[in-house]
Amino acid sequence: YQDALFHKRGGGGNTVDGPTPWHIDARMAPFDTSAYVTFWIPLDPVPAPESGGTGLLFVSGSHSDVALPYWHGGCSAAGRGDGAYADLDGRYFADDDGGGPAHHMPLAEGDATAHSGWTLHSAPPGR
């Protein structure tokens, strides 16, 4: 069992947080298991992206890609990174199989998403 609280600031000005780079939670968890689930529960409403929402983006199927490192060194404003993360389009999004980033917004406070600890995910900058 482990819990954590992350606060992503929005609201404009100098207090806005940057993007959360693509990463995999389970690689940094201190557990002797691969059966790991992450729940994300917003404490404030998260609108749809077209209305300014900045919730998590998930990559379907990435939980079975054990070749990715858990984090990468850099992240562009578009959420692209370097190293193994530089070619996410070629790795996941090239075919029309429904892969690529997906979000689950809008969300009300207290709603929840659940994903495998091995699922690649990120978040755009706060707004």
Side-chain angles (χ1 to χ4, degrees):
Y1 170 77
Q2 176 181 341
D3 60 10
L5 176 67
F6 300 97
H7 178 238
K8 186 117 180 168
R9 297 171 295 182
N14 293 328
T15 63
V16 174
D17 286 328
T20 301
W22 289 104
H23 66 282
I24 299 166
D25 296 337
R27 294 243 183 189
M28 58 184 274
F31 302 122
D32 187 20
T33 181
S34 62
Y36 184 93
V37 176
T38 297
F39 291 90
W40 187 65
I41 305 168
L43 301 178
D44 292 306
V46 180
E50 52 276 359
S51 299
T54 59
L56 293 179
L57 297 171
F58 304 95
V59 178
S60 297
S62 61
H63 64 285
S64 60
D65 187 353
V66 296
L68 280 176
Y70 98 92
W71 200 273
H72 66 84
C75 186
S76 71
R80 294 292 186 254
D82 54 16
Y85 291 84
D87 187 28
L88 292 179
D89 287 332
R91 194 173 190 117
Y92 296 111
F93 318 143
D95 13 350
D96 294 327
D97 64 356
H103 67 79
H104 300 281
M105 298 180 282
L107 295 169
E109 64 271 2
D111 283 349
T113 65
H115 62 276
S116 165
W118 297 100
T119 300
L120 182 64
H121 60 285
S122 73
R127 295 184 187 175

